[in-house]
Amino acid sequence: MQPYTLPENTVWTEVAPGNRRAVLSHRPEMMLVAFRFEEGAIGALHSHPHTQVSYVAEGAFDVTMDGVTTRLDAGSSFIVAPNVVHGVVALTPGLLIDTFTPRREDFL
C-alpha cells in the first residue's frame, strides 16, 4: 500500500511524543484532521462533546472505546459518539484521518 500523502505545506502540531496533528480543513459545523503516529505512540484516553469519525489511512492501531479495545488496520474506520472515553495505541507507524462535528475549537 502506498503511503498517504498530505500537501507539503501541511502544518503539524505535536500532541504528545510520537503523535502530531494537522488541521486539514474546517467550518463551524465540521473539521477534518490528520493524526500522524510513530510506532508505539499513544493517543491518550479522553472524551469530548463532538461526534468523531476516524479512518485508518496507514498502519495498525489498538483502538479503545468505552473500555473495549479493538485492533484496526489500514482501510478500517470507527465512530466515537459524544463524551465516550476513547484512545489509540499505534502498533506500527500510522495515520488517522478524523472528522469532528462540530469542529474542535481547541485545535485552532
Side-chain angles (χ1 to χ4, degrees):
M1 178 178 270
Q2 294 284 62
Y4 191 89
T5 305
L6 294 171
E8 287 184 27
N9 64 345
T10 300
V11 177
W12 293 94
T13 301
E14 187 170 352
V15 177
N19 178 357
R20 56 192 175 131
R21 75 169 172 250
V23 174
L24 302 177
S25 58
H26 65 91
R27 294 182 40 85
E29 63 274 9
M30 187 173 287
M31 172 180 266
L32 186 65
V33 181
F35 284 88
R36 174 79 63 193
F37 290 84
E38 295 175 10
E39 183 176 346
I42 296 170
L45 291 173
H46 66 287
S47 66
H48 45 73
H50 312 81
T51 296
Q52 174 181 333
V53 177
S54 297
Y55 173 71
V56 181
E58 294 175 4
F61 293 85
D62 276 345
V63 178
T64 301
M65 285 191 294
D66 212 13
V68 177
T69 300
T70 305
R71 184 155 294 169
L72 296 177
D73 295 313
S76 300
S77 61
F78 59 96
I79 297 176
V80 182
N83 303 309
V84 169
V85 175
H86 62 285
V88 301
V89 175
L91 304 173
T92 66
L95 177 69
L96 296 178
I97 304 296
D98 291 354
T99 301
F100 298 94
T101 183
R103 77 177 163 205
R104 296 278 308 256
E105 297 293 336
D106 55 322
F107 285 4
L108 298 177

